Amino acid sequence: MSRISDAISELHKLDMEAGKRGWLQGIHPLPKLLVTLFFLVLVVSYGKYDLSGLLVLGIYLIITFVLGDISVKLLLKRMRIVLGLVCLMGIANPFFDREAVLILGGFAVTGGMVSAATLAVKGVFAVSASYLLIVTTSVEDICYALRALHVPKIFVTVLLLVYRYIIVFLKEVERMTDAYALRAPGQKGLNQKVWGTFAGQLLLRSMDRAQTVYDSMMMRGYNGEFYLRCKRSAERGDYLYAAGWSTALLLIRIIHF
Amino acid sequence: MVMNILEIENLSFSYGNPRDMYKKNVLDDINIRISGSESVGLIGENGAGKSTFLKLLTGLLELKDGEIRVAGLGLKKENLKDIRAEIGYVFQDSDSQLFMSTVYDDVAFAPRNYGKSEEEVRAAALLALKKVHMEDKKDRQIYRLSGGEKKLAAIATVLAVGAKLMLLDEPSVALDPKNRRNLIRILNELPGAKLIASHDLDFVYDTCERVILLSGGRIAADGGTKEILTDRELLEKHGLELPLSFSRGCPC
Ligand SMILES: Nc1ncnc2c1ncn2[C@@H]1O[C@H](COP(=O)(O)OP(=O)(O)O)[C@@H](O)[C@H]1O
Ligand SMILES: [Mg+2]
């Protein structure tokens, strides 16, 4: 089924993009994670009518997208559902908050409209910033950075394993749906009659594969901790990246436009 | 006296409940000794118990009956970690064996778990990759490797811990002739003991000096490769056929 192979290839593509040799990809994951987290905190800190101030923070995104040579089109395509949802978060605000805050050419802009827009922008900013981190940093590196920030190892391990097992699981789904489709030509999707056996088989098979993956980890001395290590340690450029962005973002937040 | 890397005494095994009276042993009273540099082929038809046997040696299946010693260490829970540093197990399905995103990270996984410093890890990983001629592919994403490359990467992951005994389960399955030849060459370059489970007798002929024939869970024959693999009667009695290179009448 093509949608599943699409999903698998999207995951692989993310992995591959993160492994590319680029300027942004080359930055140590820890400063990247820190700057992203800092950016998220700042985004959240803006007041609910502070649209203009918030928009200035978008400089970070624009610069990073440009410098990292990241495709905005792909972001829109991949994240369209999430982006759509965050844009709708404040949809009800205009109905509750009808006080005009600005008259633009005879049209009253109400507080509700501004706060809805602010919320939407906050959401889009948050999604974009996370996306930037994900496409420029491999899962292993993000997990490494999380460990470096003393996030408990159980969370990090689960995150890493979920990511790995999702691929194992999707591949199994792909294999089975392919085998099904080949023997049921001209049929759309799975016949309801086979849903039960299909789900059962899928469970058994993916458990089997997951067991092999686990065996393979045990055979190689796994003892509860992924020893994630970065290919290199942080250098001056990485510190500069973190310091530079933190200062710039903080200044934008303090000096209100 | 030459130290044996592997000693197995009176090993029997069956899946499931040990009190089930009607159940048949998958392995029955196996006795084997393998010295430190031997290359041994474990042959037998499908379901003969080859994979079960290899899994028992690694402790992935629980030993119930008999004794196994790897590099002098008895196979027990307390010794598992040390034993697994001596044994490299190359799974039949390389796709499941490899689980990190790049070749390098996967090969580095084991040495990291054994508490090596990052420089030592790097040295071990690169040396292992070099042994299988994969140095130039170290930064590749695993899913972009071909079947043959995946197999070699899987071998590198077990070489990286410096395993003295390598267990390979059906290594030649799903390889095309060129990758198969390449794998044979690389295996023959590797020192150390190898136990290769396979029903691909030509492959065994090209990589092993000794052959153990497993049939119905018992050892039906144990001897020199040539002696066993040319014995048509013996092979056919146990559901196998002469290697192609012999049946074509060319024991070259
Ligand atoms: N997980 C299992 N549970 C029960 N029986 C099994 C299991 N795995 C294998 N067997 C049985 O054990 C026997 C030996 O299997 P296996 O070791 O896979 O043989 P081989 O690798 O030589 O083809 C077969 O009869 C098989 O059906
Ligand atoms: Mg088998």
Side-chain angles (χ1 to χ4, degrees):
Chain A
M1 206 180 268
S2 73
R3 248 178 305 160
I4 293 152
S5 51
D6 281 353
I8 297 173
S9 90
E10 277 296 312
L11 280 174
H12 282 327
K13 260 191 242 155
L14 278 180
D15 253 359
M16 202 168 68
E17 275 168 51
K20 269 201 304 208
R21 267 169 236 267
W23 177 86
L24 201 53
Q25 284 84 354
I27 303 250
H28 196 269
L30 189 54
K32 263 194 291 191
L33 179 68
L34 284 174
V35 169
T36 308
L37 290 176
F38 190 53
F39 178 80
L40 292 178
V41 169
L42 287 185
V43 165
V44 174
S45 78
Y46 276 83
K48 69 177 189 177
Y49 299 120
D50 204 354
L51 184 58
S52 55
L54 179 61
L55 282 173
V56 181
L57 209 58
I59 290 176
Y60 164 74
L61 294 175
I62 296 171
I63 294 182
T64 330
F65 266 98
V66 172
L67 285 184
D69 195 17
I70 314 283
S71 153
V72 178
K73 221 166 86 188
L74 261 180
L75 161 72
L76 294 178
K77 192 179 142 224
R78 283 178 179 158
M79 297 288 173
R80 59 186 181 274
I81 295 174
V82 184
L83 285 173
L85 285 177
V86 298
C87 285
L88 294 179
M89 276 192 310
I91 195 75
N93 290 16
F95 298 102
F96 296 116
D97 185 353
R98 290 158 181 271
E99 202 179 319
V101 288
L102 189 70
I103 308 287
L104 267 181
F107 178 73
V109 179
T110 66
M113 288 180 195
V114 176
S115 67
T118 310
L119 204 55
V121 170
K122 280 185 181 179
V124 171
F125 277 15
V127 171
S128 311
S130 317
Y131 177 80
L132 273 176
L133 179 68
I134 292 168
V135 291
T136 58
T137 320
S138 69
V139 184
E140 280 97 356
D141 278 354
I142 294 178
C143 288
Y144 161 82
L146 286 171
R147 281 299 284 147
L149 294 179
H150 295 283
V151 173
K153 81 177 172 196
I154 179 83
F155 291 115
V156 177
T157 304
V158 166
L159 179 67
L160 199 61
L161 289 183
V162 163
Y163 184 78
R164 284 292 151 236
Y165 283 135
I166 277 181
I167 295 186
V168 167
F169 177 76
L170 284 178
K171 278 202 178 143
E172 227 34 81
V173 176
E174 184 186 31
R175 232 179 274 188
M176 286 177 61
T177 45
D178 280 351
Y180 179 88
L182 283 174
R183 282 181 286 163
Q187 189 178 318
K188 229 175 148 117
L190 292 176
N191 190 319
Q192 221 167 337
K193 270 189 249 158
V194 302
W195 283 9
T197 34
F198 199 86
Q201 273 297 318
L202 183 60
L203 182 70
L204 289 178
R205 283 181 183 219
S206 36
M207 269 168 50
D208 220 36
R209 293 228 21 211
Q211 179 71 45
T212 314
V213 172
Y214 183 70
D215 285 350
S216 162
M217 288 163 58
M218 294 310 287
M219 276 310 296
R220 290 193 264 155
Y222 177 73
N223 49 7
E225 164 104 88
F226 268 95
Y227 290 90
L228 298 157
R229 266 172 246 175
C230 237
K231 301 205 174 50
R232 60 186 189 80
S233 45
E235 289 160 11
R236 209 167 59 186
D238 303 308
Y239 294 121
L240 273 177
Y241 178 85
W245 270 123
S246 322
T247 325
L249 291 173
L250 200 60
L251 282 179
I252 294 175
R253 180 70 186 95
I254 294 169
I255 307 169
H256 240 103
F257 291 90
Chain B
M1 194 192 90
V2 188
M3 155 105 156
N4 289 323
I5 183 76
L6 183 66
E7 294 177 345
I8 297 167
E9 274 164 33
N10 310 109
L11 170 68
S12 296
F13 181 82
S14 62
Y15 285 98
N17 188 346
R19 277 182 292 275
D20 183 350
M21 285 167 62
Y22 300 102
K23 186 183 46 177
K24 225 177 121 247
N25 274 351
V26 172
L27 294 173
D28 202 10
D29 198 21
I30 306 274
N31 291 282
I32 294 176
R33 271 152 210 274
I34 291 179
S35 80
S37 58
E38 263 181 315
S39 220
V40 182
L42 185 65
I43 63 172
E45 60 184 333
N46 282 331
K50 305 183 292 293
S51 301
T52 305
F53 180 67
L54 294 190
K55 281 202 179 151
L56 275 167
L57 300 187
T58 59
L60 289 174
L61 283 176
E62 200 187 337
L63 177 65
K64 296 169 189 164
D65 213 348
E67 233 180 289
I68 297 178
R69 275 184 304 278
V70 177
L73 293 165
L75 187 72
K76 282 189 286 218
K77 238 198 180 103
E78 309 90 84
N79 290 339
L80 264 191
K81 186 149 185 169
D82 294 327
I83 284 184
R84 284 175 177 170
E86 305 285 351
I87 290 188
Y89 177 35
V90 180
F91 291 62
Q92 181 167 351
D93 174 14
S94 325
D95 261 324
S96 306
Q97 175 161 20
L98 305 167
F99 50 81
M100 299 297 270
S101 49
T102 66
V103 173
Y104 178 83
D105 276 329
D106 221 297
V107 176
F109 182 81
R112 278 175 184 161
N113 280 333
Y114 284 96
K116 300 256 171 63
S117 77
E118 200 54 22
E119 280 112 80
E120 290 169 308
V121 169
R122 194 173 172 74
L126 291 182
L127 182 64
L129 283 166
K130 195 173 151 107
K131 284 184 186 158
V132 297
H133 306 280
M134 291 271 290
E135 313 99 297
D136 50 330
K137 303 197 177 80
K138 72 178 170 57
D139 292 321
R140 281 275 196 96
Q141 305 292 125
I142 300 276
Y143 76 95
R144 295 182 64 207
L145 298 179
S146 71
E149 288 166 342
K150 275 184 193 156
K151 187 59 74 187
L152 294 180
I155 293 175
T157 65
V158 308
L159 289 177
V161 252
K164 295 197 193 78
L165 169 65
M166 204 148 73
L167 311 176
L168 298 106
D169 198 352
E170 308 278 3
S172 65
V173 164
L175 294 186
D176 64 24
K178 186 165 147 264
N179 278 307
R180 192 168 169 285
R181 274 199 304 278
N182 190 30
L183 180 62
I184 291 172
R185 183 170 57 91
I186 285 170
L187 284 178
N188 287 335
E189 281 169 13
L190 294 175
K194 275 161 267 164
L195 186 54
I196 303 177
S198 183
H199 55 242
D200 178 349
L201 300 191
D202 287 279
F203 188 86
V204 169
Y205 182 74
D206 286 331
T207 49
C208 302
E209 67 236 20
R210 173 177 160 200
V211 167
I212 294 171
L213 170 56
L214 213 54
S215 178
R218 286 176 163 273
I219 294 182
D222 181 347
T225 301
K226 195 143 190 188
E227 173 198 334
I228 290 181
L229 293 189
T230 48
D231 190 339
R232 179 192 294 265
E233 204 178 326
L234 176 73
L235 292 177
E236 284 176 358
K237 192 171 143 212
H238 298 288
L240 296 166
E241 286 171 5
L242 278 184
L244 281 178
S245 41
F246 298 135
S247 52
R248 276 199 217 103
C250 148
C252 2

